[in-house]
């Protein structure tokens, strides 16, 4: 079967550049949107040029240039968005372009975290992320655009080696803040694996109009599990500081907007257990069951890089 041509939007970002690499590795003709404003960002430009050297095609278009976006989309079969945070609402422009182009066989909007359709109860102000993602979903479905949604849970780099500590990406040296009793299960996924599984879905009829959840069985871990793994690897026993839920929620009040968003997400992951407290229904499937051939990275191995 001929591999779909894939266009990655947001290809220089944390997950975007991994999608480009996975697309090339899996043999897809790979296109990367090159936005004009990239011309002043030397790191992003170098990243794009490195993709080009590996065989990707750079397509110039701005998200504000509807005609240019339509022309870009017409060159491919599948569009993947990896736009982050503040750029999430501009995906509506992408939806409009895909709708007009009329040739796209699959659109994967920028999700890659918690399933937003399960987060209507989420705390303010963090719920804005989920609400924006749901608005994009509604636009996709209203336009009858074939799609796949990816729920990748916790990117390991942000939640694993730091033992889910807020405000650092490095492993703690002396003390670790434990949420509640530390036993709520979350799911941690290597970002390269996120990209590998994502690219495998784009030509897979089983993933059409479904949410694909990434739940690598050995990476369904509690915060305690992470702490124990790290203590074993490092030979360093940490002092545990237990944070009861009411204390955690009370501490949000003094935070700035960005801090409150982060705290809200941590509450849902590590107190409520929103990543693991439901079974996947008819409208979803689990990636490691669909693609058992992918050798995913275990958190022990991921953490070893930080020793």
């Amino acid at each position: 079967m001929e591999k779909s041509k894939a266009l990655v939007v947001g290809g220089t970002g944390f997950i975007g550049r991994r999608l480009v690499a996975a697309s090339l590795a899996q043999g897809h003709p790979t296109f990367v949107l090159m936005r004009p404003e990239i011309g002043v960002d030397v790191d992003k430009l170098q990243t794009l040029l490195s993709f080009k050297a590996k065989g990707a095609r750079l397509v110039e278009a701005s998200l504000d240039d509807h005609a240019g976006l339509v022309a870009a989309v017409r060159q491919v079969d599948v569009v993947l968005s990896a736009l982050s945070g503040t750029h999430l609402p501009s995906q509506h422009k992408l939806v409009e372009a895909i709708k007009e182009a009329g040739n796209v066989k699959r659109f994967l909007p920028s999700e890659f975290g918690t399933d937003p359709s399960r987060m209507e109860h989420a705390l303010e102000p963090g719920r804005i992320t989920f609400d924006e993602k749901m608005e994009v979903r509604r636009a996709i479905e209203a336009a009858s655009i074939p799609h796949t949604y990816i729920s990748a849970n916790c990117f390991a780099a942000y939640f694993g080696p730091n033992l889910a500590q807020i405000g650092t990406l490095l492993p703690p040296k002396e003390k670790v803040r434990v949420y509640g009793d530390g036993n709520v299960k979350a799911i941690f996924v290597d970002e390269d694996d996120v990209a590998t599984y994502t690219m495998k879905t784009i030509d897979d009829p089983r993933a059409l109009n479904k949410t694909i959840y990434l739940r690598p069985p050995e990476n369904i871990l509690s915060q305690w599990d992470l702490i124990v793994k790290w203590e074993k690897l490092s030979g360093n026993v940490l002092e545990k500081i237990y944070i009861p839920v009411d204390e955690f929620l009370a501490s949000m009040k003094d935070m700035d907007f960005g801090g409150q968003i982060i705290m809200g997400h941590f509450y849902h992951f590590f107190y409520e257990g929103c990543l693991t407290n439901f079974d996947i229904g008819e409208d979803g499937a689990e990636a490691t069951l669909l693609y058992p051939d992918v050798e995913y990275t275990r958190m022990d191995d991921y953490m070893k890089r930080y020793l």
Side-chain angles (χ1 to χ4, degrees):
M1 189 179 89
E2 204 177 319
K3 300 252 181 174
S4 281
K5 295 179 189 145
L7 170 69
V8 180
V9 180
T12 58
F14 182 70
I15 207 70
R17 59 180 185 266
R18 290 171 166 83
L19 290 173
V20 174
S23 179
L24 289 166
Q26 291 178 34
H28 292 278
T30 304
F31 297 68
V32 187
L33 194 73
M34 179 164 155
R35 309 206 291 275
E37 57 272 23
I38 229 119
V40 293
D41 187 323
V42 71
D43 289 326
K44 288 184 175 179
L45 184 56
Q46 294 292 327
T47 302
L48 286 172
L49 293 173
S50 75
F51 295 154
K52 191 168 135 189
K54 291 178 183 131
R57 288 181 52 186
L58 305 182
V59 186
E60 285 193 57
S62 160
L63 289 168
D64 297 321
D65 165 21
H66 179 69
L69 218 43
V70 171
V73 164
R74 283 206 169 120
Q75 297 179 53
V76 299
D77 307 303
V78 174
V79 178
L80 301 102
S81 168
L83 294 169
S84 64
T86 49
H87 299 294
L88 282 175
S90 34
Q91 292 188 104
H92 288 282
K93 296 170 181 173
L94 213 42
V95 171
E96 287 304 313
I98 291 168
K99 192 163 122 182
E100 184 171 325
N103 62 301
V104 170
K105 294 194 301 199
R106 196 86 60 95
F107 177 42
L108 285 73
S110 188
E111 296 223 351
F112 304 111
T114 321
D115 177 358
S117 74
R118 308 194 62 86
M119 298 305 290
E120 56 279 343
H121 66 290
L123 297 177
E124 298 282 4
R127 62 169 300 153
I128 186 171
T129 320
F130 308 122
D131 292 344
E132 285 175 350
K133 287 178 177 180
M134 284 310 293
E135 281 169 22
V136 172
R137 282 192 180 193
R138 283 191 282 271
I140 291 167
E141 290 164 22
S144 303
I145 295 168
H147 54 271
T148 298
Y149 304 136
I150 303 289
S151 175
N153 299 298
C154 293
F155 289 158
Y158 287 94
F159 297 95
N162 62 353
L163 312 183
Q165 301 300 284
I166 293 173
T168 179
L169 298 173
L170 292 167
K173 291 193 165 51
E174 290 155 17
K175 303 172 178 175
V176 59
R177 289 161 59 88
V178 181
Y179 307 119
D181 60 10
N183 289 323
V184 171
K185 296 280 188 196
I187 305 168
F188 305 86
V189 191
D190 177 313
E191 301 76 17
D192 294 329
D193 294 342
V194 172
T196 298
Y197 285 120
T198 299
M199 292 311 303
K200 283 197 168 279
T201 68
I202 71 172
D203 282 330
D204 187 346
R206 296 172 300 174
L208 179 63
N209 299 338
K210 294 256 164 74
T211 299
I212 304 301
Y213 298 89
L214 275 52
R215 291 184 168 183
E218 288 185 45
N219 290 356
I220 301 174
L221 303 165
S222 67
Q223 190 191 8
W224 250 122
D225 296 331
L226 285 179
I227 293 168
V228 168
K229 284 180 188 296
W230 179 251
E231 288 185 337
K232 202 165 145 192
L233 283 171
S234 66
N236 177 28
V237 176
L238 299 161
E239 181 194 337
K240 321 295 185 290
I241 299 162
Y242 294 89
I243 317 288
V245 64
D246 48 357
E247 188 184 314
F248 183 88
L249 290 172
S251 70
M252 277 177 71
K253 291 187 184 71
D254 307 323
M255 297 259 168
D256 63 10
F257 186 75
Q260 288 186 5
I261 287 179
I262 291 164
M263 295 279 284
H265 292 346
F266 271 75
Y267 165 76
H268 293 300
F269 298 165
F270 298 110
Y271 287 97
E272 185 183 79
C274 72
L275 303 177
T276 55
N277 65 4
F278 65 95
D279 294 321
I280 296 169
E282 293 287 291
D283 54 352
E286 199 283 310
T288 66
L289 296 176
L290 291 179
Y291 314 111
D293 54 313
V294 176
E295 264 300 317
Y296 66 85
T297 302
R298 275 61 175 171
M299 279 306 100
D300 313 57
D301 292 322
Y302 195 99
M303 287 171 151
K304 277 178 191 161
R305 306 170 193 171
Y306 292 73
L307 286 168

